[in-house]
Amino acid sequence: ETGVTQSPTHLIKTRGQQVTLRCSSQSGHNTVSWYQQALGQGPQFIFQYYREEENGRGNFPPRFSGLQFPNYSSELNVNALELDDSALYLCASSLGRGINTEAFFGQGTRLTVV
Amino acid sequence: AQSVAQPEDQVNVAEGNPLTVKCTYSVSGNPYLFWYVQYPNRGLQFLLKYITGDNLVKGSYGFEAEFNKSQTSFHLKKPSALVSDSALYFCAVSPPDKLIFGTGTRLQVFP
């Protein structure tokens, strides 16, 4: 088991609503990345935070936003939910940036939009 | 743009037999390649990575991967499969600061 925890584990929301997903990174890790994994697909990069600043963003609309706190935990916020937002949302923490840093993933939050 | 392809949706193998899960990549510059495994209702677990050096990379749980630059491949291998290896396997390439995943290959190991 990694030290990355996500909450909640499951969530059901109605189209148009807003949702906040949370991630506690592994102790000592200062970088958090978020991924969306639709059913039957590989995870897609949403964005990354390094020391509370956004450090890269994938091809997701602005209604996907995030925060990283001084303790390096993180939130993913999604506004105006659409049915296609239904997916497993994964958080990954790492120490520092770059290709030599290993990412540790949480168990994910499964979001269902109805 | 960097990408990976996993040509097989599912691989079936008998327990005790060797297994191979295929991955090909497309990158500009040096490839940084990873394999992750996902068990049901779980997040991704790191298996191994290739950054530079030996073409044969050894990882967790007895898995290894062979980097082949001429064939742009990074196939995952294990000499003797276990039923507990049954899971979803993802190959990924890393431009700095993010991972680009393939669509995944489901490995089914039969007793």
Side-chain angles (χ1 to χ4, degrees), chain B residues 12-32:
Chain B
N12 299 316
V13 64
E15 188 174 31
N17 283 1
L19 70 87
T20 298
V21 182
K22 296 180 180 178
C23 172
T24 59
Y25 64 88
S26 175
V27 303
S28 54
N30 294 322
Y32 305 117

Side-chain angles (χ1 to χ4, degrees), chain A residues 8-54:
Chain A
T9 55
H10 295 83
L11 197 55
I12 299 176
K13 288 287 189 178
T14 302
R15 188 172 49 184
Q17 285 187 313
Q18 178 267 342
V19 68
T20 297
L21 310 182
R22 295 178 174 83
C23 172
S24 292
S25 57
Q26 186 158 311
S27 178
H29 285 186
N30 54 16
T31 304
V32 172
S33 303
W34 286 91
Y35 291 81
Q36 180 197 65
Q37 186 179 11
L39 197 61
Q41 300 295 318
Q44 300 289 318
F45 176 73
I46 303 175
F47 44 56
Q48 180 184 86
Y49 280 83
Y50 171 68
R51 293 186 174 180
E52 304 179 59
E53 298 287 331
E54 188 176 289

